[in-house]
PDB file of all heavy atoms in Angstrom:
ATOM      1  N   VAL O  95      85.434 103.621  87.096  1.00  0.00           N
ATOM      2  CA  VAL O  95      83.971 103.738  86.975  1.00  0.00           C
ATOM      3  C   VAL O  95      83.472 104.969  87.734  1.00  0.00           C
ATOM      4  O   VAL O  95      82.693 105.773  87.216  1.00  0.00           O
ATOM      5  CB  VAL O  95      83.272 102.452  87.468  1.00  0.00           C
ATOM      6  CG1 VAL O  95      81.763 102.639  87.535  1.00  0.00           C
ATOM      7  CG2 VAL O  95      83.626 101.279  86.568  1.00  0.00           C
ATOM      8  N   GLY O  96      83.925 105.128  88.978  1.00  0.00           N
ATOM      9  CA  GLY O  96      83.488 106.253  89.802  1.00  0.00           C
ATOM     10  C   GLY O  96      83.828 107.603  89.198  1.00  0.00           C
ATOM     11  O   GLY O  96      83.040 108.546  89.255  1.00  0.00           O
ATOM     12  N   ALA O  97      85.019 107.695  88.613  1.00  0.00           N
ATOM     13  CA  ALA O  97      85.470 108.958  88.013  1.00  0.00           C
ATOM     14  C   ALA O  97      84.919 109.147  86.602  1.00  0.00           C
ATOM     15  O   ALA O  97      85.044 110.223  86.026  1.00  0.00           O
ATOM     16  CB  ALA O  97      86.997 109.007  87.988  1.00  0.00           C
ATOM     17  N   GLY O  98      84.308 108.095  86.036  1.00  0.00           N
ATOM     18  CA  GLY O  98      83.773 108.188  84.675  1.00  0.00           C
ATOM     19  C   GLY O  98      84.852 108.350  83.625  1.00  0.00           C
ATOM     20  O   GLY O  98      84.648 109.018  82.610  1.00  0.00           O
ATOM     21  N   LEU O  99      86.008 107.729  83.853  1.00  0.00           N
ATOM     22  CA  LEU O  99      87.122 107.884  82.915  1.00  0.00           C
ATOM     23  C   LEU O  99      86.837 107.156  81.605  1.00  0.00           C
ATOM     24  O   LEU O  99      86.376 106.019  81.609  1.00  0.00           O
ATOM     25  CB  LEU O  99      88.417 107.337  83.523  1.00  0.00           C
ATOM     26  CG  LEU O  99      88.892 107.983  84.820  1.00  0.00           C
ATOM     27  CD1 LEU O  99      90.203 107.343  85.267  1.00  0.00           C
ATOM     28  CD2 LEU O  99      89.055 109.477  84.670  1.00  0.00           C
ATOM     29  N   VAL O 100      87.120 107.825  80.506  1.00  0.00           N
ATOM     30  CA  VAL O 100      86.988 107.225  79.175  1.00  0.00           C
ATOM     31  C   VAL O 100      88.234 107.476  78.324  1.00  0.00           C
ATOM     32  O   VAL O 100      88.315 107.042  77.189  1.00  0.00           O
ATOM     33  CB  VAL O 100      85.731 107.731  78.423  1.00  0.00           C
ATOM     34  CG1 VAL O 100      84.459 107.259  79.117  1.00  0.00           C
ATOM     35  CG2 VAL O 100      85.742 109.238  78.290  1.00  0.00           C
ATOM     36  N   GLY O 101      89.213 108.173  78.881  1.00  0.00           N
ATOM     37  CA  GLY O 101      90.449 108.478  78.177  1.00  0.00           C
ATOM     38  C   GLY O 101      91.324 109.368  79.032  1.00  0.00           C
ATOM     39  O   GLY O 101      90.945 109.747  80.137  1.00  0.00           O
ATOM     40  N   GLY O 102      92.499 109.671  78.516  1.00  0.00           N
ATOM     41  CA  GLY O 102      93.417 110.562  79.228  1.00  0.00           C
ATOM     42  C   GLY O 102      94.172 109.865  80.347  1.00  0.00           C
ATOM     43  O   GLY O 102      94.213 108.638  80.413  1.00  0.00           O
ATOM     44  N   PRO O 103      94.754 110.662  81.239  1.00  0.00           N
ATOM     45  CA  PRO O 103      95.539 110.088  82.336  1.00  0.00           C
ATOM     46  C   PRO O 103      94.671 109.229  83.256  1.00  0.00           C
ATOM     47  O   PRO O 103      93.517 109.572  83.519  1.00  0.00           O
ATOM     48  CB  PRO O 103      96.054 111.306  83.102  1.00  0.00           C
ATOM     49  CG  PRO O 103      95.839 112.476  82.229  1.00  0.00           C
ATOM     50  CD  PRO O 103      94.742 112.126  81.283  1.00  0.00           C
ATOM     51  N   LEU O 104      95.245 108.135  83.761  1.00  0.00           N
ATOM     52  CA  LEU O 104      94.498 107.291  84.697  1.00  0.00           C
ATOM     53  C   LEU O 104      94.362 107.987  86.045  1.00  0.00           C
ATOM     54  O   LEU O 104      93.272 108.067  86.599  1.00  0.00           O
ATOM     55  CB  LEU O 104      95.201 105.935  84.877  1.00  0.00           C
ATOM     56  CG  LEU O 104      94.533 104.984  85.875  1.00  0.00           C
ATOM     57  CD1 LEU O 104      93.124 104.611  85.418  1.00  0.00           C
ATOM     58  CD2 LEU O 104      95.375 103.744  86.068  1.00  0.00           C
ATOM     59  N   PHE O 105      95.472 108.496  86.559  1.00  0.00           N
ATOM     60  CA  PHE O 105      95.435 109.155  87.865  1.00  0.00           C
ATOM     61  C   PHE O 105      95.460 110.663  87.667  1.00  0.00           C
ATOM     62  O   PHE O 105      96.416 111.215  87.141  1.00  0.00           O
ATOM     63  CB  PHE O 105      96.586 108.666  88.747  1.00  0.00           C
ATOM     64  CG  PHE O 105      96.450 107.215  89.102  1.00  0.00           C
ATOM     65  CD1 PHE O 105      97.323 106.282  88.590  1.00  0.00           C
ATOM     66  CD2 PHE O 105      95.413 106.773  89.919  1.00  0.00           C
ATOM     67  CE1 PHE O 105      97.198 104.933  88.897  1.00  0.00           C
ATOM     68  CE2 PHE O 105      95.271 105.428  90.231  1.00  0.00           C
ATOM     69  CZ  PHE O 105      96.163 104.507  89.725  1.00  0.00           C
ATOM     70  N   ARG O 106      94.367 111.306  88.090  1.00  0.00           N
ATOM     71  CA  ARG O 106      94.157 112.740  87.853  1.00  0.00           C
ATOM     72  C   ARG O 106      94.410 113.563  89.115  1.00  0.00           C
ATOM     73  O   ARG O 106      94.282 113.073  90.228  1.00  0.00           O
ATOM     74  CB  ARG O 106      92.710 112.997  87.427  1.00  0.00           C
ATOM     75  CG  ARG O 106      92.151 112.092  86.351  1.00  0.00           C
ATOM     76  CD  ARG O 106      92.673 112.493  84.982  1.00  0.00           C
ATOM     77  NE  ARG O 106      92.193 111.621  83.941  1.00  0.00           N
ATOM     78  CZ  ARG O 106      91.170 111.903  83.135  1.00  0.00           C
ATOM     79  NH1 ARG O 106      90.473 112.990  83.286  1.00  0.00           N
ATOM     80  NH2 ARG O 106      90.860 111.067  82.168  1.00  0.00           N
ATOM     81  N   ALA O 107      94.686 114.814  88.893  1.00  0.00           N
ATOM     82  CA  ALA O 107      94.831 115.776  89.987  1.00  0.00           C
ATOM     83  C   ALA O 107      93.437 116.257  90.404  1.00  0.00           C
ATOM     84  O   ALA O 107      92.466 116.132  89.648  1.00  0.00           O
ATOM     85  CB  ALA O 107      95.674 116.961  89.511  1.00  0.00           C
ATOM     86  N   PHE O 108      93.360 116.811  91.608  1.00  0.00           N
ATOM     87  CA  PHE O 108      92.142 117.440  92.111  1.00  0.00           C
ATOM     88  C   PHE O 108      92.467 118.885  92.445  1.00  0.00           C
ATOM     89  O   PHE O 108      93.584 119.188  92.871  1.00  0.00           O
ATOM     90  CB  PHE O 108      91.641 116.727  93.371  1.00  0.00           C
ATOM     91  CG  PHE O 108      90.958 115.423  93.093  1.00  0.00           C
ATOM     92  CD1 PHE O 108      91.684 114.251  92.987  1.00  0.00           C
ATOM     93  CD2 PHE O 108      89.588 115.356  92.931  1.00  0.00           C
ATOM     94  CE1 PHE O 108      91.067 113.046  92.723  1.00  0.00           C
ATOM     95  CE2 PHE O 108      88.951 114.163  92.665  1.00  0.00           C
ATOM     96  CZ  PHE O 108      89.694 112.998  92.559  1.00  0.00           C
ATOM     97  N   ASP O 109      91.493 119.783  92.262  1.00  0.00           N
ATOM     98  CA  ASP O 109      91.732 121.175  92.625  1.00  0.00           C
ATOM     99  C   ASP O 109      91.491 121.360  94.129  1.00  0.00           C
ATOM    100  O   ASP O 109      91.130 120.416  94.837  1.00  0.00           O
ATOM    101  CB  ASP O 109      90.892 122.136  91.773  1.00  0.00           C
ATOM    102  CG  ASP O 109      89.392 122.056  92.030  1.00  0.00           C
ATOM    103  OD1 ASP O 109      88.970 121.523  93.074  1.00  0.00           O
ATOM    104  OD2 ASP O 109      88.626 122.538  91.171  1.00  0.00           O
ATOM    105  N   ALA O 110      91.674 122.587  94.607  1.00  0.00           N
ATOM    106  CA  ALA O 110      91.547 122.883  96.038  1.00  0.00           C
ATOM    107  C   ALA O 110      90.141 122.624  96.576  1.00  0.00           C
ATOM    108  O   ALA O 110      89.951 122.460  97.780  1.00  0.00           O
ATOM    109  CB  ALA O 110      91.953 124.329  96.302  1.00  0.00           C
ATOM    110  N   HIS O 111      89.153 122.568  95.685  1.00  0.00           N
ATOM    111  CA  HIS O 111      87.761 122.343  96.107  1.00  0.00           C
ATOM    112  C   HIS O 111      87.345 120.882  95.982  1.00  0.00           C
ATOM    113  O   HIS O 111      86.180 120.544  96.173  1.00  0.00           O
ATOM    114  CB  HIS O 111      86.820 123.226  95.286  1.00  0.00           C
ATOM    115  CG  HIS O 111      87.167 124.678  95.366  1.00  0.00           C
ATOM    116  ND1 HIS O 111      86.975 125.433  96.500  1.00  0.00           N
ATOM    117  CD2 HIS O 111      87.747 125.505  94.460  1.00  0.00           C
ATOM    118  CE1 HIS O 111      87.404 126.660  96.290  1.00  0.00           C
ATOM    119  NE2 HIS O 111      87.881 126.733  95.058  1.00  0.00           N
TER     120      HIS O 111
END
Side-chain angles (χ1 to χ4, degrees):
V95 172
L99 300 181
V100 294
L104 178 62
F105 294 111
R106 313 283 178 99
F108 284 87
D109 68 18
H111 304 289

